[in-house]
Amino acid sequence: MKSLVRITVLILATVAVLFYLNTQLNDSSGRASSDTISVFNWGEYIDPELITQFEEETGIRVIYETFDSNEAMLTKIQQGGTRYDIAMPSEYMIEKMKEEDLLIPIDQSKIPNLENIDPYFLDLPFDPGNQYSIPYFWGTVGIAFNPTLLDGQTFESWSDLWSPELEQEVILVDGAREVMGMGLNTLGYSLNSTDDEELRAATDRLMELGPNVKAIIGDEIVETMRRDEAAIALVWSGQAADIMYVNEDIDYSVPQEGSNLWFDNMIIPKTAGNVEGAHKFINFMLDAEIAAQNADYVGYSTPNLLALDLMDPEVTGDVRFYPTEEMREELEVYTDLGPEMLGKYNEYFLEFKMSMNRN
Amino acid sequence: MGTTSKLAKVYLAFVFIILYAPIFYLIFYSFNSAGNMSNFEGFTWEHYAAVFQDTRLLSIVLNTIIVALLSALISTAIGVLGAVGIVYITNKRLRQSLLSLNNVLIVSPDVIIGASFLILFTMIGVRLGFASVLISHIAFSVPIVVIMVLPKLQEMSSTLVDAARDLGATRRDVFTRVIIPYIRPGIFAGFFLALTYSLDDFAVTFFVTGNGFATLSVEIYSMARAGITLTINALSGLLFIVTLILVLGYYFVVNRAKTPFQAGVPK
């Protein structure tokens, strides 16, 4: 018994020491200010130096937290119990949050830097007039491929994927909207289609792709492509950039029939306690220099027009990641289809996946 | 036993290689100057330097350890009392149902536990953060401690307690001088299991963190979209080495203190 008591005391003492260290650590990073905002973002989706810079410039302390999916973020904000002043969800989630009345309107007069943003990325269908959201990063869905493994073949069109020579070469990302969207795009339909016949036709078309599909996976795609273990993959542009950063053989293209264009935006959720600070943070992130530094660090495409001038022209001139406006015309943004329609997409996607086992 | 066959040894080695290979692979790349896990370019300490510069990450590590130690300690105390209580309940049916309830908590999915805690905490107005994480970690650790302690209690002969009472021991004496020393190995096992459960729990913790408090598992999962940096490799390497030192230290202390009797016999 005595030794158990001794061990308990030892553990408590350790905890006390760690606790003290932790408070020291937080104090030393200049976080003594009472004015705080808390930011809820994807992991590794901001340059940490910028947080320190913001804290120094404004005296507002930033509490930074991360989430791993739009849905997880929604749950935390819906339930309350936390105080998030800023979050960075994707466009379809913003539409949903708006409907559920989870957002605070943004006072644009407090965000003068909004004029730095390319007008193309403002006033989009998911949030007309940018009442609730301000652009953060954007990107596309397309095909990453390795010409050295494919005798120099390139991909201008979705239907190239159906070529019989590509048996067991194609990897698909495990997302119902992405894969069904590819099926719909191939046939010239909208990837927000709610027409049952079109969805049926897209699924049938996808099933014909069956023999070419090597795997339907998630984040592992990046690693498989890097190692030359696969030649072709349906991916998001950011993933493609990650792959290309390491494996220079790889190329990325957005097929001409059209594809998905996505946006991550900054919003102020209903749970916000410091709306004033949140506006300051948004304005700070829109500053040209800040946005350029952030885009360099994160690697996704920035919607900030002035920032583009400050960045490496080799990056910003790369139409694979910064497609021209003309090219973007062909692209489509996801709209929130509602749970019923989304269920249908999932069902058709499942049917496609099940058909694969029969081959 | 005595003679372990060659095949058994090879098999054992194989199992250990499979268990440890990913960890060493990860540590190996933490020294990679190329900044990724696909090709080794050259040796560097920069990822280790990055760990110590990132105060946010360090603070998260400290949070994780504090919660693990505290929750393991408290849940061990609660679990031991609970196990003793369950063993000394005379009504068979009541005892059985309490045990079943305990087991249900062990097998129920983390996601369900996490979501229910989130709903509970927000309903009664608890601010999410350190307290909510600690409480939920204690909650999912208690059933594990109970399960680890129960077998020891059940194998303990009731004559030990009877003898102690006959010799004039009070209830308290029986508990602190007979029961507790006897079940000591179970208590330690429960404590360490609770510690590891708390350290690597993601599902429950994700739901109940908030207001600036995060643990390592939540932070690493969130990096999925933009890719996990080698800083995490370096950090994992450091944690692995600290754990290794602690385990070796514990092993030596126990071995030195050991009397000719095996552990498990009251001393």
Side-chain angles (χ1 to χ4, degrees):
Chain A
M1 188 68 192
K2 225 186 221 167
S3 66
L4 283 184
V5 173
R6 219 181 296 144
I7 292 170
T8 309
V9 171
L10 188 74
I11 293 172
L12 286 177
T14 319
V15 167
V17 170
L18 293 177
F19 207 79
Y20 174 75
L21 280 178
N22 205 358
T23 34
Q24 286 297 103
L25 214 57
N26 287 336
D27 286 347
S28 69
S29 50
R31 296 181 175 173
S33 165
S34 58
D35 198 6
T36 58
I37 61 163
S38 53
V39 178
F40 203 25
N41 196 356
W42 303 84
E44 293 284 307
Y45 211 40
I46 197 170
D47 184 350
E49 268 175 38
L50 293 177
I51 295 181
T52 325
Q53 194 181 332
F54 176 76
E55 286 177 336
E56 277 163 9
E57 266 177 33
T58 58
I60 298 175
R61 183 186 151 205
V62 176
I63 300 173
Y64 190 74
E65 277 184 62
T66 50
F67 57 84
D68 70 334
S69 73
N70 279 305
E71 288 65 29
M73 176 227 53
L74 180 72
T75 316
K76 289 295 278 284
I77 287 176
Q78 262 173 342
Q79 273 299 328
T82 47
R83 207 208 78 183
Y84 297 122
D85 299 299
I86 300 261
M88 276 84 154
S90 312
E91 73 293 315
Y92 73 95
M93 189 51 74
I94 292 171
E95 215 172 346
K96 189 167 176 161
M97 294 175 91
K98 237 166 59 178
E99 253 165 51
E100 293 184 16
D101 205 20
L102 291 171
L103 302 179
I104 292 176
I106 286 170
D107 183 354
Q108 295 190 357
S109 67
K110 286 182 187 154
I111 307 182
N113 282 339
L114 193 60
E115 60 183 30
N116 297 351
I117 297 287
D118 186 341
Y120 180 89
F121 297 101
L122 300 172
D123 199 19
L124 289 162
F126 64 87
D127 183 25
N130 284 80
Q131 272 187 293
Y132 296 97
S133 68
I134 303 292
Y136 187 59
F137 280 114
W138 63 283
T140 54
V141 171
I143 305 172
F145 58 97
N146 193 336
T148 52
L149 297 180
L150 296 167
D151 307 323
Q153 186 179 358
T154 55
F155 292 85
E156 306 302 323
S157 159
W158 287 117
S159 42
D160 292 343
L161 289 177
W162 270 257
S163 148
E165 285 125 57
L166 300 178
E167 203 170 316
Q168 288 289 311
E169 294 282 6
V170 183
I171 292 187
L172 300 178
V173 67
D174 192 5
R177 296 279 322 243
E178 282 71 31
V179 176
M180 285 302 290
M182 175 176 85
L184 288 162
N185 280 148
T186 317
L187 297 170
Y189 301 137
S190 157
L191 46 74
N192 292 314
S193 172
T194 52
D195 184 306
D196 204 43
E197 258 169 54
E198 290 181 4
L199 285 172
R200 182 73 258 165
T203 316
D204 290 341
R205 181 86 177 119
L206 282 175
M207 285 180 184
E208 289 167 25
L209 183 67
N212 286 1
V213 178
K214 184 176 184 169
I216 302 180
I217 49 178
D219 285 327
E220 310 93 286
I221 291 181
V222 176
E223 209 53 34
T224 2
M225 290 291 285
R226 275 177 182 175
R227 294 165 179 283
D228 284 345
E229 278 167 25
I232 313 160
L234 174 76
V235 291
W236 287 286
S237 55
Q239 275 182 311
D242 272 354
I243 302 168
M244 290 160 69
Y245 184 70
V246 185
N247 191 336
E248 284 177 2
D249 292 339
I250 290 178
D251 201 355
Y252 174 74
S253 86
V254 180
Q256 59 197 10
E257 294 104 320
S259 182
N260 167 233
L261 183 66
W262 57 259
F263 310 95
D264 284 347
N265 292 259
M266 294 182 271
I267 53 130
I268 305 180
K270 265 272 146 68
T271 52
N274 187 353
V275 180
E276 192 67 30
H279 279 91
K280 273 186 198 160
F281 185 81
I282 294 177
N283 194 45
F284 174 82
M285 291 311 295
L286 294 191
D287 179 88
E289 266 177 53
I290 305 290
Q293 190 183 332
N294 202 26
D296 268 340
Y297 181 89
V298 176
Y300 276 84
S301 315
T302 176
N304 197 311
L305 213 49
L306 293 188
L308 289 180
D309 296 334
L310 302 172
M311 291 167 62
D312 184 356
E314 214 174 288
V315 174
T316 57
D318 191 339
V319 290
R320 294 173 302 185
F321 297 104
Y322 287 93
T324 60
E325 229 167 286
E326 227 170 73
M327 295 161 83
R328 279 180 248 149
E329 289 289 305
E330 306 295 323
L331 303 176
E332 258 183 294
V333 180
Y334 289 140
T335 53
D336 181 25
L337 298 170
E340 205 176 306
M341 206 60 218
L342 210 58
K344 219 168 219 172
Y345 268 73
N346 283 329
E347 240 169 72
Y348 277 122
F349 182 49
L350 192 65
E351 197 180 314
F352 161 61
K353 285 209 270 192
M354 275 158 53
S355 79
M356 304 260 313
N357 293 334
R358 270 184 243 133
N359 294 315
Chain B
M1 289 292 281
T3 50
T4 327
S5 77
K6 214 171 199 173
L7 196 70
K9 274 183 192 157
V10 171
Y11 175 72
L12 193 67
F14 179 68
V15 169
F16 268 95
I17 289 171
I18 288 189
L19 287 177
Y20 278 85
I23 299 176
F24 286 120
Y25 180 76
L26 186 132
I27 293 177
F28 175 70
Y29 275 107
S30 69
F31 297 107
N32 185 8
S33 61
N36 62 61
M37 297 251 297
S38 44
N39 57 317
F40 197 84
E41 211 175 69
F43 182 88
T44 176
W45 285 109
E46 65 178 285
H47 305 299
Y48 286 87
V51 171
F52 290 101
Q53 271 161 15
D54 192 343
T55 48
R56 200 178 92 82
L57 195 62
L58 281 183
S59 166
I60 287 173
V61 173
L62 290 181
N63 284 343
T64 313
I65 299 173
I66 291 173
V67 167
L69 283 176
L70 271 185
S71 71
L73 194 67
I74 298 173
S75 55
T76 307
I78 299 176
V80 168
L81 291 179
V84 172
I86 287 177
V87 163
Y88 288 101
I89 284 172
T90 40
N91 183 340
K92 228 178 187 172
R93 193 176 286 168
L94 179 64
R95 186 168 61 192
Q96 210 46 49
S97 22
L98 277 176
L99 261 176
S100 309
L101 283 177
N102 187 62
N103 292 349
V104 165
L105 282 179
I106 292 182
V107 293
S108 53
D110 280 358
V111 182
I112 307 284
I113 297 179
S116 5
F117 266 114
L118 176 63
I119 294 167
L120 175 74
F121 286 137
T122 48
M123 213 170 64
I124 60 176
V126 173
R127 250 174 80 95
L128 297 182
F130 174 68
S132 63
V133 173
L134 184 66
I135 292 170
S136 41
H137 279 212
I138 292 171
F140 71 64
S141 301
V142 167
I144 299 158
V145 176
V146 171
I147 282 293
M148 297 307 289
V149 172
L150 264 183
K152 278 272 146 209
L153 276 171
Q154 279 160 348
E155 85 183 20
M156 190 175 107
S157 162
S158 58
T159 48
L160 273 177
V161 177
D162 293 341
R165 295 301 295 264
D166 283 347
L167 293 170
T170 59
R171 271 168 170 264
R172 216 189 115 175
D173 286 336
V174 170
F175 184 69
T176 58
R177 301 205 175 174
V178 180
I179 298 179
I180 290 286
Y182 193 90
I183 61 173
R184 235 177 82 124
I187 297 178
F188 275 109
F191 174 79
F192 283 111
L193 208 59
L195 194 73
T196 40
Y197 257 66
S198 165
L199 279 178
D200 78 6
D201 175 76
F202 164 72
V204 176
T205 317
F206 174 79
F207 284 104
V208 294
T209 46
N211 298 305
F213 186 87
T215 65
L216 204 55
S217 60
V218 175
E219 183 65 20
I220 293 177
Y221 271 91
S222 308
M223 291 178 176
R225 191 183 229 194
I228 291 161
T229 56
L230 290 190
T231 314
I232 295 299
N233 285 32
L235 182 63
S236 312
L238 288 174
L239 288 179
F240 177 75
I241 287 164
V242 169
T243 319
L244 201 68
I245 292 172
L246 284 181
V247 170
L248 286 179
Y250 174 76
Y251 180 79
F252 279 119
V253 168
V254 168
N255 262 7
R256 265 183 66 189
K258 220 178 235 170
T259 53
F261 296 103
Q262 281 302 303
V265 176
K267 358 181 206 293

